[in-house]
């Protein structure tokens, strides 16, 4: 619709512009005609005779019938001519004023186009058009110079239009343009200067060869002197021109090909740097037009590498500082806890003092837990964490985690919907770290879930991965996305009215990724979803005993192939609580992390 309206507006502008040109030419021709009549007595007499004949024919009663008819016919034709001229004038004048705005837009476009033409070219065109119109008038028997007049009116219109819209009409000349091009050439980069210099040199050589060959060819063909071997000279002149022009073009194409090759080197380096390879180096030769750009790109690579190294170093220093501070705090804190236990064993303590001691003991235990969490997160962030990777059944480990956290789950007013298949799903991970991940996620549900709601825990195999998803409804409104919730010291309870350090999800994510898994947190309104995903470990094939002949003796017990063990946390007997395989004391709590 907009394109149609624009084309219609342009058509109206063209119609109005043509009518304006016709009106100006008509006014000029009419004015010149009146001037000619005013200064020519012969034309005045003819016009007076014509009007007197009309008046005498209409007023005399003695004229013959034939003369009266001729007079009435002449009067009728004159009236029709006058009316036609009036109607045509109205038809020409009306679009000029009705479509004035459209014509003004067209005139602005014409002036913008005229502003790109040098003033010398404009003056040359004016002179040529005037000379052509004078020749046309001279070739016509009766023209009264009307062709030259209309041409002059048209040229005067364009000149006024150009001057009215383009204030720098006379400054846009050939000399000024050459000087401007030279000044802009000085401000170009080295690559632009060399490329343009090469192009200008190539064009100059081609023009010089063509000019020289043309002059020699014209001299040989138009000379009156005897030139021996004329045909051979003409052939060699033409051959010289062809070889010179062709060789120059081939040289320019070869140089351009070299530039394109160097461009490919730079683009390949940029692509590798974008992919993370900051050691990529280009091999652009010093003679290339792009040598400066290539060296600058190499310096940028060095600067980026230096900035990345400094950032990694600063992050490592920060984490090491946290680790050292945590370790320094943990040493006196251990002594405080030990002395608190000794105070508890003192007999005959007043009940009020015993309450104070119990409170101090709880706060010290919480502080110890926070310090231990910070210590483990710091070690996981720096990669300075010891992992005992083995193939373990993630479903069995998840059941064991629920069994050991039964005392924490019972007081929580939550309904647990646990879906763990009986089929073993083996993953390659650290059992202690993965136990800590599930422990933190389950504890997170007990602390932040809505009372009376249900928590869904599901283990499934999807696309070659073991996926554990935990979904619960948050007690408080969730105002952050999943990435923010996994940051350090971030808690869903922004008022921090519940216990917790804000490191549970951060520890779970760090341990999961350290073991080679994926940890995903998603929120949908108040629905909180955590997903732990590990690639399934292919079970080792059972050893197959060699096929023996019937005559061979039966293999002994020592030669019998042992059944394939499924490594991982050992499954406890029915009458005993589940324990970790690395715990020699058989306690239900997981072993403490190493310091």
């Amino acid at each position: 619709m907009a394109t149609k309206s624009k084309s219609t507006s342009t058509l109206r502008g063209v119609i109005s512009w043509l009518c304006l040109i016709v009106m100006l030419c008509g006014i000029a021709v009419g004015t010149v005609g009146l001037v000619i009549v005013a200064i020519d007595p012969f034309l005045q007499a003819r016009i007076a005779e014509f009007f007197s004949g009309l008046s005498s024919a209409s007023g005399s009663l003695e004229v013959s019938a034939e003369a009266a008819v001729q007079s009435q016919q002449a009067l009728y034709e004159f009236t029709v001519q006058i009316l036609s001229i009036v109607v045509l004038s109205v038809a020409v004048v009306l679009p000029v004023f009705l479509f004035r705005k459209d014509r003004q837009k067209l005139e602005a476009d014409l002036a913008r186009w005229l502003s790109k033409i040098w003033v010398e070219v404009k003056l040359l065109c004016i002179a040529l058009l005037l000379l052509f119109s004078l020749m046309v008038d001279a070739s016509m028997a009766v023209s009264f110079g009307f062709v030259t007049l209309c041409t002059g009116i048209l040229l005067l219109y364009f000149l006024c239009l150009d001057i009215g819209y383009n204030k720098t009409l006379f400054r846009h000349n050939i000399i000024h343009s050459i000087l401007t091009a030279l000044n802009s050439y000085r401000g170009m980069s080295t690559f632009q200067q060399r490329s343009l210099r090469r192009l200008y040199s190539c064009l100059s050589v081609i023009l010089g060869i063509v000019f020289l060959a043309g002059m020699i060819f014209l001299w040989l063909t138009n000379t009156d002197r005897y030139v021996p071997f004329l045909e051979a000279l003409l052939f060699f002149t033409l051959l010289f021109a062809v070889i010179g022009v062709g060789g120059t073009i081939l040289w320019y194409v070869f140089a351009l090909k070299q530039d394109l090759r160097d461009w490919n080197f730079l683009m390949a380096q940029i692509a590798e740097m974008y992919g993370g390879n900051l050691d990529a180096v280009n091999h652009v030769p010093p003679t290339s037009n792009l040598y400066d750009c290539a060296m600058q790109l190499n310096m940028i690579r060095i600067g980026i590498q230096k900035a990345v190294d400094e950032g990694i170093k600063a992050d490592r220093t920060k984490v090491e500082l946290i680790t050292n501070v945590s370790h320094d705090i943990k040493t006196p804190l251990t002594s405080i806890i030990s002395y608190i236990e000794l105070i508890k064993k003192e007999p005959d303590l007043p009940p009020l003092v015993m309450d104070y001691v119990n409170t101090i003991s709880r706060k010290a235990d919480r502080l110890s837990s926070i310090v231990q969490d910070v210590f483990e997160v710091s070690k996981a962030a720096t990669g300075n964490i010891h992992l005992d990777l083995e193939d373990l059944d993630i479903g069995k480990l998840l059941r064991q985690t629920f069994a050991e956290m039964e005392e924490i789950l019972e007081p929580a007013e939550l309904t647990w919907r646990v879906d763990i298949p009986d089929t073993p799903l083996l993953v390659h991970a650290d059992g202690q770290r993965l136990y800590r991940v599930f422990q933190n996620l389950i504890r997170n549900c007990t602390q932040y879930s809505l009372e009376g709601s249900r928590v869904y825990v599901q283990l499934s195999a999807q696309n070659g991965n073991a996926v554990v998803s935990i979904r619960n409804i948050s007690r408080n409104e969730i105002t952050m996305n999943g990435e923010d919730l996994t940051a350090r010291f971030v808690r869903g309870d922004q008022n921090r009215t519940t216990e917790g350090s804000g490191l549970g999800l951060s520890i779970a994510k760090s341990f999961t990724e350290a073991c080679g898994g994926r940890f995903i947190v998603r929120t949908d309104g108040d629905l909180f979803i955590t997903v732990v995903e590990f690639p399934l470990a292919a079970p080792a094939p059972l050893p197959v005993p060699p096929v023996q002949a019937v005559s061979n003796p039966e293999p002994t017990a020592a030669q019998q192939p042992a059944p394939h063990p499924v490594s991982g946390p050992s499954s406890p007997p029915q009458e005993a609580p589940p324990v970790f395989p690395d715990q020699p004391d058989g306690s239900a709590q997981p072993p403490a992390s190493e310091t």
Side-chain angles (χ1 to χ4, degrees):
M1 185 63 70
T3 305
K4 184 177 180 180
S5 175
K6 184 177 180 180
S7 60
T8 305
S9 175
T10 304
L11 179 62
R12 291 198 301 263
V14 171
I15 293 173
S16 177
W17 180 76
L18 292 176
C19 291
L20 177 63
I21 297 299
V22 172
M23 185 182 70
L24 292 177
C25 293
I27 292 174
V29 170
T31 303
V32 172
L34 291 177
V35 171
I36 293 175
V37 170
I39 63 177
D40 191 350
F42 179 74
L43 290 177
Q44 294 175 6
R46 291 289 301 272
I47 293 174
E49 182 181 355
F50 176 76
F51 282 104
S52 64
L54 292 178
S55 61
S56 63
S58 59
S60 177
L61 300 175
E62 297 178 356
V63 295
S64 61
E66 183 178 356
V69 171
Q70 292 179 355
S71 178
Q72 291 179 358
Q73 183 69 23
L75 182 61
Y76 174 75
E77 292 177 355
F78 179 73
T79 304
V80 171
Q81 292 174 357
I82 294 298
L83 291 176
S84 299
I85 292 173
V86 172
V87 172
L88 180 61
S89 301
V90 172
V92 169
V93 172
L94 280 178
V96 173
F97 295 97
L98 290 178
F99 305 145
R100 183 174 67 256
K101 293 183 179 180
D102 299 325
R103 188 186 74 251
Q104 290 175 352
K105 293 181 180 179
L106 179 63
E107 289 175 345
D109 295 336
L110 290 175
R112 193 180 304 109
W113 180 77
L114 290 173
S115 65
K116 301 178 181 179
I117 304 175
W118 288 319
V119 66
E120 293 88 352
V121 177
K122 296 176 183 176
L123 295 176
L124 181 61
C125 292
I126 291 174
L128 292 177
L129 287 175
L130 289 176
L131 181 61
F132 178 76
S133 61
L134 288 174
M135 293 174 60
V136 172
D137 281 334
S139 64
M140 296 176 64
V142 180
S143 64
F144 299 102
F146 287 144
V147 175
T148 304
L149 178 62
C150 293
T151 304
I153 293 298
L154 185 61
L155 293 176
L156 182 63
Y157 166 78
F158 279 112
L159 184 61
C160 294
L161 182 66
D162 197 5
I163 295 174
Y165 279 91
N166 303 320
K167 306 301 180 183
T168 60
L169 170 65
F170 297 100
R171 285 198 301 173
H172 186 59
N173 50 60
I174 296 177
I175 298 177
H176 183 267
S177 299
I178 293 175
L179 294 176
T180 303
L182 290 176
N183 292 330
S184 61
Y185 177 76
R186 292 173 186 170
M188 292 180 184
S189 65
T190 304
F191 175 72
Q192 289 175 319
Q193 289 177 355
R194 292 179 180 176
S195 299
L196 289 178
R197 187 184 303 120
R198 180 189 299 161
L199 177 62
Y200 294 156
S201 301
C202 192
L203 292 178
S204 301
V205 171
I206 291 175
L207 292 177
I209 292 174
V210 172
F211 178 77
L212 181 60
M215 294 297 295
I216 296 174
F217 190 86
L218 290 176
W219 181 78
L220 291 175
T221 54
N222 296 326
T223 184
D224 296 330
R225 299 178 182 180
Y226 173 75
V227 180
F229 307 105
L230 178 61
E231 295 180 357
L233 289 176
L234 291 175
F235 174 77
F236 281 111
T237 301
L238 183 60
L239 183 63
F240 165 76
V242 171
I243 293 176
V245 173
T248 305
I249 294 176
L250 288 177
W251 172 81
Y252 181 79
V253 170
F254 178 78
L256 183 61
K257 185 178 179 181
Q258 296 285 345
D259 287 345
L260 294 177
R261 182 202 62 186
D262 297 338
W263 268 116
N264 288 333
F265 288 158
L266 296 183
M267 295 303 296
Q269 182 184 7
I270 293 173
E272 290 185 9
M273 292 175 62
Y274 177 76
N277 182 17
L278 297 180
D279 295 329
V281 181
N282 61 72
H283 300 284
V284 177
T287 57
S288 173
N289 287 346
L290 297 171
Y291 181 73
D292 295 339
C293 180
M295 292 300 100
Q296 292 173 2
L297 185 58
N298 286 334
M299 296 303 296
I300 291 174
R301 175 189 64 83
I302 296 173
I304 294 175
Q305 182 67 51
K306 184 177 179 181
V308 170
D309 292 340
E310 290 179 354
I312 294 174
K313 182 179 179 181
D315 190 32
R316 184 181 296 112
T317 302
K318 179 178 65 176
V319 175
E320 289 178 354
L321 176 63
I322 296 175
T323 304
N324 295 332
V325 171
S326 301
H327 187 274
D328 294 340
I329 294 175
K330 187 176 181 180
T331 302
L333 186 59
T334 305
S335 300
I336 293 174
I337 295 175
S338 300
Y339 280 108
I340 290 174
E341 294 299 326
L342 292 176
I343 294 174
K344 287 182 180 180
K345 296 179 181 179
E346 289 293 329
D348 302 331
L349 286 177
L352 183 60
V353 175
M354 197 63 187
D355 291 339
Y356 293 159
V357 171
N358 292 332
T359 302
I360 295 173
S361 177
R362 288 195 305 270
K363 300 301 181 183
D365 291 339
R366 183 183 177 188
L367 181 59
S368 178
S369 176
I370 294 175
V371 171
Q372 183 65 27
D373 291 345
V374 173
F375 188 69
E376 291 181 353
V377 169
S378 302
K379 289 200 302 181
T382 56
N384 187 21
I385 183 173
H386 177 69
L387 297 176
D388 294 327
L389 298 178
E390 56 184 351
D391 292 344
L392 55 88
D393 185 1
I394 191 172
K396 186 184 296 183
L397 179 62
L398 193 57
R399 292 191 189 93
Q400 182 175 346
T401 307
F402 274 102
E404 295 182 358
M405 297 186 66
E406 187 176 356
E407 295 181 357
I408 300 176
L409 300 179
E410 288 181 356
E413 299 178 0
L414 300 173
T415 303
W416 295 83
R417 295 287 186 263
V418 181
D419 182 11
I420 301 176
D422 296 332
T423 304
L425 298 178
L426 299 182
V427 298
H428 193 68
D430 187 332
Q432 294 184 6
R433 308 299 178 183
L434 197 54
Y435 171 83
R436 183 65 185 277
V437 170
F438 294 146
Q439 188 183 48
N440 286 358
L441 294 180
I442 295 172
R443 183 180 288 110
N444 187 75
C445 292
T446 59
Q447 290 180 351
Y448 299 107
S449 294
L450 181 66
E451 292 81 357
S453 62
R454 285 179 290 272
V455 180
Y456 294 89
V457 181
Q458 183 181 14
L459 171 62
S460 60
Q462 300 177 8
N463 300 323
N465 296 323
V467 181
V468 179
S469 64
I470 302 177
R471 295 173 293 169
N472 66 291
I473 302 297
S474 175
R475 179 190 305 115
N476 302 313
E477 181 181 1
I478 300 177
T479 58
M480 293 177 287
N481 55 26
E483 290 294 330
D484 295 336
L485 289 172
T486 56
R488 302 175 189 174
F489 303 105
V490 175
R491 298 173 59 181
D493 181 13
Q494 297 183 358
N495 296 326
R496 295 183 178 268
T497 57
T498 59
E499 293 186 358
S501 60
L503 294 172
L505 293 179
S506 179
I507 294 174
K509 181 178 180 181
S510 300
F511 284 178
T512 302
E513 294 176 352
C515 294
R518 292 179 57 198
F519 187 85
I520 304 172
V521 174
R522 295 194 300 267
T523 58
D524 185 4
D526 291 336
L527 178 62
F528 187 81
I529 306 171
T530 55
V531 178
V532 177
E533 182 176 330
F534 278 91
L536 287 173
L542 293 174
V544 179
V547 179
Q548 300 177 355
V550 179
S551 59
N552 290 342
E554 291 294 329
T556 61
Q559 296 175 343
Q560 292 288 345
H564 174 67
V566 178
S567 59
S570 58
S571 178
Q574 296 295 331
E575 65 275 8
V579 296
F580 272 90
D582 296 336
Q583 287 182 275
D585 55 353
S587 60
Q589 296 296 327
S593 301
E594 65 276 11
T595 58

